[in-house]
Amino acid sequence: MAQLLTGLVFLSDISRYSIAADTLSPIQPLRDGQTLVSAKETFALGFFSPGRSKNRYVGIWYNKRQGDQTTTVVWVANRSSSLSGTNGSLELNGNGTLTINSMIFLPMPMVALTNPVAQLLDDGNFVIREANSSEFAWQSFDYLTDTLLSGMKLGWDLRTGLNRNLTSWRSKDDPSPGSYVLSIDLEGIPHIIVWSGSTKKYRSRPWADVKVDDPQDMRHRYGLRFGFVNNKDEVYYMYNTTGTKLVGGVLMDQSGMTKHFLWVESTGMWNNFLNYPMNECQEYSRCGPFGVCNIDVWPICRCLQGFKPKSPQEWPLMDASSGCDRLTALDCKNRSDGFMTVTLAALPETSNAIVYTNISQDECRARCLKNCSCTAYAAVRNINGGGLGCVIWVTELIDLRISPHPTENVFVRLAAADLGN
Ligand SMILES: *[C@@H]1O[C@H](CO)[C@@H](O)[C@H](O)[C@H]1NC(C)=O
Ligand SMILES: *[C@@H]1O[C@H](CO)[C@@H](O)[C@H](O)[C@H]1NC(C)=O
Ligand SMILES: *[C@@H]1O[C@H](CO)[C@@H](O)[C@H](O)[C@H]1NC(C)=O
Ligand SMILES: *[C@@H]1O[C@H](CO)[C@@H](O)[C@H](O)[C@H]1NC(C)=O
Ligand SMILES: *[C@@H]1O[C@H](CO)[C@@H](O)[C@H](O)[C@H]1NC(C)=O
Ligand SMILES: *[C@@H]1O[C@H](CO)[C@@H](O)[C@H](O)[C@H]1NC(C)=O
Ligand SMILES: *[C@@H]1O[C@H](CO)[C@@H](O)[C@H](O)[C@H]1NC(C)=O
Ligand SMILES: *[C@@H]1O[C@H](CO)[C@@H](O)[C@H](O)[C@H]1NC(C)=O
Ligand SMILES: *[C@@H]1O[C@H](CO)[C@@H](O)[C@H](O)[C@H]1NC(C)=O
């Protein structure tokens, strides 16, 4: 969202060349310069050139211009390959396949259709269906680029293996896949990860005990409703502005920030009201294993009680990434270890944690004590859609954050000598 797309070629030609419809049929190709416009004129689809590039792409953009005349592209078809001339023609085959200049350019319906139409809907979804049916044979909402619109699912269809993630543009001039991918990680308790190549950059809190539509949530105050769905068929995140006049989006931008936007009618501008990571403590593993990040103190990194900096030379230089070591080794066999309660802003990284459903907190503690690799446990409500659950960590604890609104109690295993009072 809010890509500053200057120098677009179709500027004043839209009405002249618009085929004045939201629907493409096999007898009527869409040529470069023409656009499909959704019923309420919220979104448009056509050929465009991003930024200073001369290459042509097929995309969907918000149909209102910002005050500075820039257009916001929200979806790009086959973003890795562009056309060089303005002679592009988007066609729907008789069997429901979309082609550009007769070349297939998108993953298309597996089943041939008999009387297909392609339609740009008012929520920004471009769909292919039988003319006499409302069931979609294909939809652009399954092939996300860098922007999540209301009604799009971010995440997994476990039945088909479809993994919908957001990938940043390479640059303002190039929509091909860039460095950052925002996706849903199913390991442990499902959560969002922003990847930079193969490095984790940001991690959301896991989706256990998440209050959907939490009135305290800032986004709720803007009228946005969020949903997490986690069942045997699907695991996804979605927001929904249906029934409101709001138009918004979540953008994975080229600098690795996840930005939330809403269109403000009175100013004719996007309001970028929320960004992740919000602060240094939200950067993944900012303080290393067993390090705790607290944005309200200086320096922001400290070791958990019972731990000391792993490389004392680096900590004074504000590089805490190596994390912390135990003062006293655990004494599992003697069963003298105990637990220290730490109240955190979110559960530590759960990717390598073991999750049990429907067991009590006492049983959770007992299972942790029994396993000499166990470093911590937490009792969690509403885990994976079930009742009371238990998370057991058998690795170093990563990504510990303290916030003014702590919510999660985590019980960290310490040797008796380090427990204090
Ligand atoms: C379209 O134009 C480009 C560049 O002008 C040219 O290379 C290409 O062959 C043309 N394609 C068609 C189908 O005419
Ligand atoms: C993108 O377009 C190129 C050229 O038409 C094609 O070879 C490729 O398969 C398309 N990619 C996808 C994902 O369909
Ligand atoms: C539709 O037609 C194209 C060629 O026009 C072909 O490549 C494609 O396989 C056909 N799709 C189906 C599902 O039959
Ligand atoms: C739609 O039309 C096809 C033939 O074009 C027909 O086979 C099918 O039964 C129709 N479906 C409905 C729901 O009317
Ligand atoms: C993002 O989605 C693409 C397409 O499904 C997939 O190939 C890729 O592995 C995904 N990346 C991540 C980090 O989930
Ligand atoms: C979005 O909200 C509307 C209005 O409350 C509701 O009818 C619709 O089912 C919701 N859609 C999704 C996909 O959650
Ligand atoms: C176990 O406890 C006994 C008595 O408290 C102590 O002498 C012994 O060193 C402990 N063993 C280990 C491995 O710490
Ligand atoms: C949860 O555990 C209790 C006691 O072990 C058992 O009675 C109950 O049926 C379990 N519930 C589920 C949903 O498995
Ligand atoms: C402890 O948990 C780890 C991780 O599941 C497992 O590999 C190991 O076998 C367990 N050890 C015991 C003694 O149960």
Side-chain angles (χ1 to χ4, degrees), residues 148-170:
L148 190 74
L149 296 172
S150 169
M152 276 183 172
K153 293 174 176 179
L154 174 75
W156 295 80
D157 187 326
L158 302 171
R159 294 162 297 195
T160 60
L162 182 66
N163 170 17
R164 310 175 197 87
N165 53 41
L166 297 178
T167 305
S168 62
W169 284 27
R170 189 170 291 261

mmCIF file of all heavy atoms in Angstrom, residues 148-170:
data_model
loop_
_atom_site.group_PDB
_atom_site.id
_atom_site.type_symbol
_atom_site.label_atom_id
_atom_site.label_comp_id
_atom_site.label_asym_id
_atom_site.label_seq_id
_atom_site.Cartn_x
_atom_site.Cartn_y
_atom_site.Cartn_z
ATOM 1 N N LEU A 148 -2.155 -6.958 2.175
ATOM 2 C CA LEU A 148 -3.305 -7.721 2.655
ATOM 3 C C LEU A 148 -4.509 -6.791 2.692
ATOM 4 O O LEU A 148 -4.478 -5.764 3.370
ATOM 5 C CB LEU A 148 -3.012 -8.259 4.056
ATOM 6 C CG LEU A 148 -4.008 -9.268 4.612
ATOM 7 C CD1 LEU A 148 -3.822 -10.624 3.932
ATOM 8 C CD2 LEU A 148 -3.836 -9.424 6.119
ATOM 9 N N LEU A 149 -5.550 -7.150 1.950
ATOM 10 C CA LEU A 149 -6.791 -6.360 1.948
ATOM 11 C C LEU A 149 -7.827 -7.057 2.820
ATOM 12 O O LEU A 149 -7.705 -8.258 3.093
ATOM 13 C CB LEU A 149 -7.335 -6.244 0.519
ATOM 14 C CG LEU A 149 -6.474 -5.493 -0.491
ATOM 15 C CD1 LEU A 149 -7.073 -5.635 -1.893
ATOM 16 C CD2 LEU A 149 -6.351 -4.025 -0.109
ATOM 17 N N SER A 150 -8.846 -6.311 3.199
ATOM 18 C CA SER A 150 -9.934 -6.886 3.987
ATOM 19 C C SER A 150 -10.527 -8.097 3.269
ATOM 20 O O SER A 150 -10.844 -8.020 2.086
ATOM 21 C CB SER A 150 -11.015 -5.832 4.192
ATOM 22 O OG SER A 150 -12.171 -6.428 4.725
ATOM 23 N N GLY A 151 -10.634 -9.208 3.975
ATOM 24 C CA GLY A 151 -11.212 -10.416 3.393
ATOM 25 C C GLY A 151 -10.177 -11.391 2.858
ATOM 26 O O GLY A 151 -10.497 -12.554 2.610
ATOM 27 N N MET A 152 -8.935 -10.946 2.677
ATOM 28 C CA MET A 152 -7.878 -11.869 2.241
ATOM 29 C C MET A 152 -7.440 -12.722 3.409
ATOM 30 O O MET A 152 -7.361 -12.234 4.536
ATOM 31 C CB MET A 152 -6.637 -11.091 1.793
ATOM 32 C CG MET A 152 -6.656 -10.589 0.394
ATOM 33 S SD MET A 152 -5.052 -9.769 0.066
ATOM 34 C CE MET A 152 -5.200 -9.467 -1.681
ATOM 35 N N LYS A 153 -7.117 -13.971 3.130
ATOM 36 C CA LYS A 153 -6.592 -14.836 4.173
ATOM 37 C C LYS A 153 -5.077 -14.850 4.081
ATOM 38 O O LYS A 153 -4.526 -15.118 3.021
ATOM 39 C CB LYS A 153 -7.114 -16.261 3.992
ATOM 40 C CG LYS A 153 -8.608 -16.388 4.212
ATOM 41 C CD LYS A 153 -9.076 -17.795 3.882
ATOM 42 C CE LYS A 153 -10.558 -17.942 4.195
ATOM 43 N NZ LYS A 153 -11.051 -19.296 3.860
ATOM 44 N N LEU A 154 -4.429 -14.582 5.215
ATOM 45 C CA LEU A 154 -2.978 -14.704 5.275
ATOM 46 C C LEU A 154 -2.692 -15.997 6.018
ATOM 47 O O LEU A 154 -3.002 -16.102 7.198
ATOM 48 C CB LEU A 154 -2.396 -13.518 6.051
ATOM 49 C CG LEU A 154 -0.901 -13.583 6.315
ATOM 50 C CD1 LEU A 154 -0.127 -13.265 5.056
ATOM 51 C CD2 LEU A 154 -0.499 -12.635 7.421
ATOM 52 N N GLY A 155 -2.160 -16.988 5.324
ATOM 53 C CA GLY A 155 -1.875 -18.234 6.029
ATOM 54 C C GLY A 155 -2.169 -19.455 5.191
ATOM 55 O O GLY A 155 -2.120 -19.401 3.965
ATOM 56 N N TRP A 156 -2.511 -20.526 5.870
ATOM 57 C CA TRP A 156 -2.482 -21.858 5.280
ATOM 58 C C TRP A 156 -3.856 -22.447 5.032
ATOM 59 O O TRP A 156 -4.728 -22.384 5.891
ATOM 60 C CB TRP A 156 -1.735 -22.816 6.206
ATOM 61 C CG TRP A 156 -0.293 -22.479 6.363
ATOM 62 C CD1 TRP A 156 0.224 -21.513 7.186
ATOM 63 C CD2 TRP A 156 0.804 -23.077 5.693
ATOM 64 N NE1 TRP A 156 1.587 -21.477 7.054
ATOM 65 C CE2 TRP A 156 1.980 -22.435 6.152
ATOM 66 C CE3 TRP A 156 0.919 -24.097 4.742
ATOM 67 C CZ2 TRP A 156 3.246 -22.788 5.693
ATOM 68 C CZ3 TRP A 156 2.188 -24.442 4.294
ATOM 69 C CH2 TRP A 156 3.331 -23.781 4.768
ATOM 70 N N ASP A 157 -4.004 -23.061 3.850
ATOM 71 C CA ASP A 157 -5.066 -24.018 3.638
ATOM 72 C C ASP A 157 -4.392 -25.383 3.758
ATOM 73 O O ASP A 157 -3.665 -25.805 2.855
ATOM 74 C CB ASP A 157 -5.703 -23.831 2.266
ATOM 75 C CG ASP A 157 -6.925 -24.720 2.091
ATOM 76 O OD1 ASP A 157 -6.913 -25.853 2.639
ATOM 77 O OD2 ASP A 157 -7.879 -24.299 1.426
ATOM 78 N N LEU A 158 -4.621 -26.060 4.890
ATOM 79 C CA LEU A 158 -3.887 -27.296 5.164
ATOM 80 C C LEU A 158 -4.325 -28.432 4.233
ATOM 81 O O LEU A 158 -3.584 -29.386 4.019
ATOM 82 C CB LEU A 158 -4.085 -27.705 6.629
ATOM 83 C CG LEU A 158 -3.646 -26.656 7.662
ATOM 84 C CD1 LEU A 158 -4.078 -27.069 9.061
ATOM 85 C CD2 LEU A 158 -2.131 -26.444 7.610
ATOM 86 N N ARG A 159 -5.537 -28.290 3.661
ATOM 87 C CA ARG A 159 -6.035 -29.349 2.774
ATOM 88 C C ARG A 159 -5.284 -29.360 1.452
ATOM 89 O O ARG A 159 -5.022 -30.406 0.874
ATOM 90 C CB ARG A 159 -7.533 -29.140 2.506
ATOM 91 C CG ARG A 159 -8.381 -29.315 3.753
ATOM 92 C CD ARG A 159 -9.748 -28.680 3.575
ATOM 93 N NE ARG A 159 -9.624 -27.226 3.376
ATOM 94 C CZ ARG A 159 -10.636 -26.380 3.470
ATOM 95 N NH1 ARG A 159 -11.847 -26.818 3.758
ATOM 96 N NH2 ARG A 159 -10.465 -25.080 3.284
ATOM 97 N N THR A 160 -4.930 -28.167 0.952
ATOM 98 C CA THR A 160 -4.269 -28.094 -0.352
ATOM 99 C C THR A 160 -2.788 -27.737 -0.224
ATOM 100 O O THR A 160 -2.051 -27.792 -1.203
ATOM 101 C CB THR A 160 -4.924 -27.004 -1.226
ATOM 102 O OG1 THR A 160 -4.779 -25.751 -0.542
ATOM 103 C CG2 THR A 160 -6.395 -27.283 -1.446
ATOM 104 N N GLY A 161 -2.356 -27.337 0.979
ATOM 105 C CA GLY A 161 -0.970 -26.928 1.162
ATOM 106 C C GLY A 161 -0.702 -25.497 0.716
ATOM 107 O O GLY A 161 0.438 -25.045 0.722
ATOM 108 N N LEU A 162 -1.766 -24.779 0.321
ATOM 109 C CA LEU A 162 -1.592 -23.393 -0.120
ATOM 110 C C LEU A 162 -1.111 -22.530 1.054
ATOM 111 O O LEU A 162 -1.714 -22.513 2.114
ATOM 112 C CB LEU A 162 -2.922 -22.860 -0.656
ATOM 113 C CG LEU A 162 -2.927 -21.436 -1.220
ATOM 114 C CD1 LEU A 162 -2.065 -21.349 -2.480
ATOM 115 C CD2 LEU A 162 -4.349 -20.992 -1.536
ATOM 116 N N ASN A 163 0.006 -21.835 0.846
ATOM 117 C CA ASN A 163 0.599 -20.986 1.877
ATOM 118 C C ASN A 163 0.589 -19.562 1.362
ATOM 119 O O ASN A 163 1.348 -19.215 0.477
ATOM 120 C CB ASN A 163 2.038 -21.470 2.141
ATOM 121 C CG ASN A 163 2.825 -20.510 3.010
ATOM 122 O OD1 ASN A 163 2.263 -19.651 3.679
ATOM 123 N ND2 ASN A 163 4.144 -20.661 2.993
ATOM 124 N N ARG A 164 -0.306 -18.753 1.919
ATOM 125 C CA ARG A 164 -0.418 -17.384 1.425
ATOM 126 C C ARG A 164 0.415 -16.469 2.314
ATOM 127 O O ARG A 164 0.166 -16.378 3.510
ATOM 128 C CB ARG A 164 -1.870 -16.929 1.442
ATOM 129 C CG ARG A 164 -2.859 -17.888 0.778
ATOM 130 C CD ARG A 164 -4.256 -17.355 0.979
ATOM 131 N NE ARG A 164 -5.295 -18.349 0.745
ATOM 132 C CZ ARG A 164 -5.744 -19.189 1.667
ATOM 133 N NH1 ARG A 164 -5.218 -19.205 2.886
ATOM 134 N NH2 ARG A 164 -6.715 -20.027 1.380
ATOM 135 N N ASN A 165 1.416 -15.837 1.734
ATOM 136 C CA ASN A 165 2.243 -14.917 2.516
ATOM 137 C C ASN A 165 2.425 -13.602 1.768
ATOM 138 O O ASN A 165 2.147 -13.505 0.584
ATOM 139 C CB ASN A 165 3.576 -15.584 2.876
ATOM 140 C CG ASN A 165 4.312 -16.136 1.683
ATOM 141 O OD1 ASN A 165 4.344 -15.501 0.636
ATOM 142 N ND2 ASN A 165 4.900 -17.319 1.835
ATOM 143 N N LEU A 166 2.880 -12.597 2.482
ATOM 144 C CA LEU A 166 3.143 -11.294 1.861
ATOM 145 C C LEU A 166 4.634 -11.171 1.602
ATOM 146 O O LEU A 166 5.436 -11.442 2.500
ATOM 147 C CB LEU A 166 2.722 -10.150 2.782
ATOM 148 C CG LEU A 166 1.248 -10.026 3.162
ATOM 149 C CD1 LEU A 166 1.057 -8.845 4.118
ATOM 150 C CD2 LEU A 166 0.379 -9.848 1.921
ATOM 151 N N THR A 167 5.000 -10.775 0.403
ATOM 152 C CA THR A 167 6.414 -10.581 0.079
ATOM 153 C C THR A 167 6.604 -9.167 -0.445
ATOM 154 O O THR A 167 5.876 -8.734 -1.347
ATOM 155 C CB THR A 167 6.874 -11.611 -0.981
ATOM 156 O OG1 THR A 167 6.572 -12.921 -0.491
ATOM 157 C CG2 THR A 167 8.364 -11.509 -1.246
ATOM 158 N N SER A 168 7.564 -8.462 0.147
ATOM 159 C CA SER A 168 7.785 -7.069 -0.230
ATOM 160 C C SER A 168 8.184 -6.948 -1.700
ATOM 161 O O SER A 168 8.652 -7.909 -2.301
ATOM 162 C CB SER A 168 8.881 -6.469 0.649
ATOM 163 O OG SER A 168 10.099 -7.164 0.460
ATOM 164 N N TRP A 169 7.987 -5.757 -2.259
ATOM 165 C CA TRP A 169 8.520 -5.465 -3.587
ATOM 166 C C TRP A 169 10.044 -5.343 -3.471
ATOM 167 O O TRP A 169 10.575 -5.025 -2.404
ATOM 168 C CB TRP A 169 7.983 -4.129 -4.103
ATOM 169 C CG TRP A 169 6.575 -4.119 -4.584
ATOM 170 C CD1 TRP A 169 5.562 -4.952 -4.185
ATOM 171 C CD2 TRP A 169 6.013 -3.218 -5.542
ATOM 172 N NE1 TRP A 169 4.410 -4.613 -4.841
ATOM 173 C CE2 TRP A 169 4.647 -3.546 -5.679
ATOM 174 C CE3 TRP A 169 6.529 -2.163 -6.293
ATOM 175 C CZ2 TRP A 169 3.797 -2.850 -6.548
ATOM 176 C CZ3 TRP A 169 5.686 -1.470 -7.149
ATOM 177 C CH2 TRP A 169 4.335 -1.813 -7.288
ATOM 178 N N ARG A 170 10.719 -5.579 -4.598
ATOM 179 C CA ARG A 170 12.167 -5.410 -4.607
ATOM 180 C C ARG A 170 12.549 -3.938 -4.446
ATOM 181 O O ARG A 170 13.451 -3.591 -3.701
ATOM 182 C CB ARG A 170 12.738 -5.970 -5.914
ATOM 183 C CG ARG A 170 14.234 -6.046 -5.978
ATOM 184 C CD ARG A 170 14.648 -6.835 -7.192
ATOM 185 N NE ARG A 170 14.297 -8.245 -7.037
ATOM 186 C CZ ARG A 170 15.158 -9.181 -6.650
ATOM 187 N NH1 ARG A 170 16.408 -8.875 -6.422
ATOM 188 N NH2 ARG A 170 14.771 -10.424 -6.516
#
